[in-house]
Amino acid sequence: MAGGADWQPHARRRGGHVARPAQPLSRCSRRTCAAGLQADRDGRTGGRRRHLVPPHGGAIPHPRRRGRMVPVGASRPDALRCGGIRPQPDRRGPLSLARPAGKNAIGHDPRGPSRRTGAADGGETLGLGTAMDTRPVRDSFVSRGSVGLTPRQRQILRLLCEGKANKEIARELDIGVGTVKQHLVGLFKRLNVRNRSMAVSRGLSLLAAPDARAEQTDLDTALTDTDWLQQRTLARRPCVVLSLALPDAAPAELRTALQRALAARAFDARALLIPRDQGLGDLLFGVRRSSENDLLAAAALLSNLCQDARAAAPTGPDQLRVAIDAGMAVVSKDRRGAWTGEAVATPAVARTRHLLQQTADGELSLGAGARDLLRAFGAAPAATARKPLPLCDLPRLFLLPSRSRASLVGRDHEWARLNAALTPGAAGRVIRLEGERGMGKSSLCQAALSHCQSLGGRGLYLRTLPDAGGAPFRDAVSGAPVGLEQAIDALSAPIAGQPDLLVIDDLHLLPRPTATRVLAQASPAAARGRVVLLSGVRSAPAGAAHRADDADRAEPIRLRRLPDAAIRRLIDDLAAAADTPPDPEIRRHICRQAAGVPFFAVELARASGDELPLPLLAVIAARLDGFELDWRMLQTLAETATSRHHLAGLSEDLGQPLAQVRDAVSAAVRAGILTGGPGQDGDEPVAFRHPLIRRAVATLGI
Ligand SMILES: Nc1ncnc2c1ncn2[C@@H]1O[C@H](COP(=O)(O)OP(=O)(O)OP(=O)(O)O)[C@@H](O)[C@H]1O
Ligand SMILES: [Mg+2]
């Protein structure tokens, strides 16, 4: 996206950018500002929150933190948060993923306008760089911020977008074909595109702009129109990027087949597709809705795409070049926290494309962010190595490292029950491991499998994949895809030796009918002497449904939060493994923050500095995305210096009626994000339920 110093988002044209004025303007948040109050009285701009002022002595009051002054133009984004002038979220050369429009455009949602992804309401196009273009797309913003097409260019662009040939355009406008060509040259230059199809792509979104005059709108007018800003807020989201390319010499049929497959699979996986003019394109997972399984979803999609490539040409997969990385994306959300599909920018895309440049045909490169996620969510160490993998080794991404029970702390009681079930000669059972994210369900399943194998028994570990179609499981040892029928066969197969263990992990990811079919076989398998170990997130609605189905048959083992002593031991174990002396202060801090969740403790202990590690952000963002929340209210709360906040002050800071704030807070309390809020005896001060959630919200906001 454009560099922060000279460019700023256009206030009305979402995703658009305009030149930053020489004297930085900011929306005044001073409650006593005379100009703002006058504007209020005049009813001109809708009040002081909309009134534009030059900086008060080079600094302005922070819009939400009372008493705090922030320098205008400071690099911290929150310095300018009181108004429509939003700084660039990231200046490391992110790419614009803002919306294109039209049927084939990125983010186009064939399910119709109600679920539109922002493509239809105009504004900006994607920065359609070249295949490997990793430079910031500032140039295209230059032309975008002031596209200023002549009426004739506009007419021609419209006809181009209707798919008309030069001759037809000439006939329609009653001009010569040569003149059309001349206009096209000017038009391409204006749009900063190189060819007709790029012009069409840009044109579709420009022409879809709700107010075509917006291009000419003068800066001040644009900046005072903050309706859309009032409705939206920007957020940073953890995302996974899958970047794919084919060599120029790849057969046309292969390219076409893959392009089609990519579009269909991206749609199924709810990923955002950014096609490239020559290559295949980039897929973004998690910007519409965060999930800690985005990486698995990306890997599953890639595995399906390799099959498509093989079907199109036997050597198809050998020609594909793939890079996967994870990082942060910038998206805009509406007040309730729903993704609006606007103004998406992500340095992760630039990084992944860069990685792709260093990848050979038939190989897959993993960036540091992706490796981090893989490790945190239990991939085999081999898959987290820095070297590119041959694409045919893709299944290795799904492997789980074997794990001994000794590496788990504080789970003696749970382990004793599993151990008893796996004693040779014991009766078969169905056991259900349940607990919040990161409580160690998969780790216990892995330890059970290792134990079973060490006893000479037979074990199968099926890992559920967040995959829209195809096989719903992977064999966690071989990485091979396992279809539903195969899983059912495995459950009902005769017992070959003792103990006989079948693990199905992350059951909550299965669609309900699939889960029902699997569960129907669990009890008969146990009656035959098999130990069926099911695991799933307790709070997931799907998990709740599964529980109801097998409630009378499965024995639950609930993984509760670990006591502080166990978390301290865990931190010390990690310090010992990393050969660093344990620091009591850090240990205390991590213990406080982790609040008994081992995953939090492991990630915080691994993190360097103050930044929250990506896997943690991914988990928390996924949790927040699961509810309808007023994101802006949460961000305001997360930024306040006090840990508890009174609703009246919050309402004043947000400029919203108290009743509205009460509703928003109540929703967040019901979701388990906040505590306090409206009660029977009046409003209680609100606070985040967990300090990590507060930190994550502050990090995710802009
Ligand atoms: N008791 C424990 N001792 C040591 N490390 C643990 C323990 N429990 C979990 N961990 C670590 O926490 C991380 C998350 O664990 P795991 O993946 O098993 O959790 P999970 O409950 O399966 O999470 P999810 O709900 O995301 O599937 C892993 O890095 C694991 O090593
Ligand atoms: Mg797990």
Side-chain angles (χ1 to χ4, degrees):
M1 210 177 255
D6 308 324
W7 295 93
Q8 61 199 19
H10 195 294
R12 183 148 47 189
R13 297 183 49 229
R14 285 161 253 168
H17 283 72
V18 290
R20 197 181 287 286
Q23 169 74 310
L25 292 175
S26 177
R27 232 157 279 288
C28 178
S29 65
R30 273 190 180 176
R31 287 178 177 79
T32 54
C33 174
L37 292 173
Q38 186 58 48
D40 265 345
R41 278 193 288 274
D42 296 350
R44 268 188 285 125
T45 59
R48 64 187 141 75
R49 299 185 76 80
R50 297 182 178 198
H51 150 66
L52 288 171
V53 291
H56 298 283
I60 56 169
H62 192 287
R64 292 177 206 142
R65 289 184 205 167
R66 264 179 264 177
R68 191 183 141 189
M69 299 297 282
V70 287
V72 171
S75 60
R76 270 289 299 152
D78 61 0
L80 292 175
R81 206 177 280 175
C82 66
I85 304 175
R86 284 177 187 262
Q88 285 310 296
D90 195 302
R91 297 176 186 161
R92 286 171 292 167
L95 290 168
S96 159
L97 305 184
R99 305 134 311 130
K103 192 156 152 293
N104 299 319
I106 300 113
H108 169 73
D109 191 334
R111 286 169 292 192
S114 63
R115 298 196 206 173
R116 81 185 158 77
T117 54
D121 62 351
E124 294 311 327
T125 51
L126 173 82
L128 287 168
T130 53
M132 293 293 118
D133 194 356
T134 57
R135 68 200 153 95
V137 287
R138 178 174 165 156
D139 289 351
S140 51
F141 277 112
V142 174
S143 60
R144 259 198 259 163
S146 53
V147 169
L149 299 182
T150 63
R152 189 56 113 192
Q153 284 172 335
R154 221 163 228 293
Q155 280 175 321
I156 293 184
L157 183 57
R158 198 179 296 276
L159 293 170
L160 266 190
C161 293
E162 286 168 16
K164 301 256 159 77
N166 287 359
K167 252 195 229 163
E168 291 170 301
I169 296 175
R171 204 174 313 129
E172 192 136 332
L173 299 180
D174 203 16
I175 53 179
V177 176
T179 316
V180 171
K181 285 183 183 162
Q182 268 175 13
H183 281 306
L184 282 180
V185 172
L187 182 64
F188 289 178
K189 209 160 151 197
R190 274 280 181 208
L191 295 176
N192 195 28
V193 298
R194 290 193 314 275
N195 57 38
R196 207 175 175 94
S197 56
M198 287 170 83
V200 170
S201 182
R202 288 286 317 276
L204 282 170
S205 54
L206 280 174
L207 293 172
D211 178 6
R213 283 171 297 129
E215 281 176 21
Q216 273 89 41
T217 312
D218 95 45
L219 179 66
D220 276 0
T221 317
L223 288 173
T224 49
D225 177 4
T226 53
D227 276 358
W228 79 268
L229 273 172
Q230 294 289 316
Q231 296 303 320
R232 289 167 178 83
T233 169
L234 291 182
R236 297 190 329 137
R237 320 296 303 158
C239 71
V240 168
V241 186
L242 174 64
S243 212
L244 303 125
L246 277 175
D248 290 345
E253 331 63 271
L254 176 64
R255 189 180 301 275
T256 315
L258 280 180
Q259 274 163 347
R260 281 212 192 105
L262 193 58
R265 294 203 181 275
F267 179 74
D268 285 346
R270 294 181 63 75
L272 190 70
L273 171 62
I274 311 160
R276 250 180 266 123
D277 47 352
Q278 284 304 307
L280 289 178
D282 308 300
L283 280 173
L284 258 101
F285 294 78
V287 290
R288 290 187 177 136
R289 192 184 169 123
S290 291
S291 158
E292 62 274 44
N293 287 311
D294 283 330
L295 191 76
L296 276 186
L301 186 145
L302 178 57
S303 150
N304 290 336
L305 206 66
C306 284
Q307 283 174 20
D308 298 328
R310 191 163 293 115
T315 57
D318 302 336
Q319 304 191 45
L320 255 180
R321 239 177 318 132
V322 188
I324 303 182
D325 206 350
M328 301 301 284
V330 178
V331 300
S332 78
K333 307 204 125 205
D334 66 22
R335 290 168 80 99
R336 309 303 303 177
W339 188 78
T340 60
E342 290 153 355
V344 183
T346 168
V349 173
R351 265 209 323 274
T352 317
R353 286 186 183 180
H354 184 68
L355 199 62
L356 190 63
Q357 283 178 319
Q358 298 152 14
T359 310
D361 292 349
E363 280 189 349
L364 160 68
S365 291
L366 292 171
R371 290 201 305 271
D372 226 23
L373 288 188
L374 274 174
R375 176 196 44 71
F377 301 124
T384 59
R386 280 165 190 269
K387 280 203 309 218
L389 287 172
L391 255 183
C392 55
D393 271 0
L394 186 63
R396 275 211 274 162
L397 285 191
F398 301 97
L399 300 193
L400 290 168
S402 65
R403 164 152 231 157
S404 79
R405 179 253 149 172
S407 58
L408 296 176
V409 299
R411 294 290 180 216
D412 297 342
H413 174 65
E414 293 83 354
W415 178 254
R417 288 183 61 187
L418 282 179
N419 197 17
L422 291 170
T423 308
R429 328 166 153 188
V430 185
I431 299 173
R432 192 179 60 239
L433 275 181
E434 48 179 50
E436 299 169 56
R437 295 268 172 212
M439 294 303 269
K441 299 179 293 295
S442 302
S443 303
L444 266 175
C445 290
Q446 284 164 255
L449 181 77
S450 300
H451 183 59
C452 171
Q453 287 167 341
S454 71
L455 293 174
R458 180 175 164 274
L460 179 63
Y461 187 135
L462 299 182
R463 191 174 191 185
T464 312
L465 280 186
D467 184 2
F473 307 103
R474 287 268 163 180
D475 183 323
V477 175
S478 69
V482 176
L484 177 59
E485 297 309 324
Q486 277 173 286
I488 289 175
D489 287 350
L491 272 165
S492 45
I495 303 286
Q498 285 275 3
D500 186 304
L501 173 70
L502 199 149
V503 181
I504 303 181
D505 194 8
D506 288 336
L507 196 64
H508 58 277
L509 294 178
L510 280 182
R512 176 85 200 265
T514 315
T516 308
R517 279 198 65 195
V518 171
L519 289 171
Q521 298 300 322
S523 294
R528 254 176 253 125
R530 179 157 291 138
V531 178
V532 181
L533 182 55
L534 309 169
S535 103
V537 173
R538 188 183 54 85
S539 55
H546 299 163
R547 271 209 317 285
D549 286 342
D550 66 333
D552 48 341
R553 287 163 246 153
E555 302 166 30
I557 298 185
R558 285 219 45 201
L559 298 188
R560 297 181 193 280
R561 296 190 174 203
L562 291 175
D564 275 1
I567 295 283
R568 277 198 295 272
R569 214 160 74 231
L570 175 56
I571 298 166
D572 288 349
D573 285 356
L574 287 169
D579 227 4
T580 48
D583 178 330
E585 186 49 44
I586 294 181
R587 194 169 50 190
R588 231 187 339 268
H589 175 73
I590 295 177
C591 249
R592 224 179 12 247
Q593 298 263 311
V597 181
F599 169 67
F600 288 176
V602 170
E603 289 307 312
L604 287 170
R606 282 205 174 105
S608 57
D610 242 9
E611 284 214 346
L612 276 187
L614 190 66
L616 257 179
L617 278 172
V619 167
I620 297 175
R623 171 144 185 226
L624 294 172
D625 277 357
F627 303 101
E628 284 240 318
L629 297 170
D630 188 328
W631 195 247
R632 205 163 138 241
M633 179 273 291
L634 286 180
Q635 281 180 11
T636 306
L637 263 184
E639 285 162 8
T640 47
T642 53
S643 57
R644 302 187 76 76
H645 212 302
H646 290 274
L647 292 195
L650 190 58
S651 139
E652 203 179 319
D653 281 355
L654 286 165
Q656 287 175 358
L658 188 57
Q660 193 179 334
V661 173
R662 277 202 189 109
D663 284 350
V665 167
S666 299
V669 171
R670 280 196 302 276
I673 310 290
L674 299 178
T675 57
Q680 285 184 339
D681 305 328
D683 292 341
E684 285 176 28
V686 281
F688 279 92
R689 188 174 287 273
H690 195 294
L692 273 184
I693 298 184
R694 175 181 171 171
R695 266 180 80 189
V697 171
T699 310
L700 294 169
I702 287 175

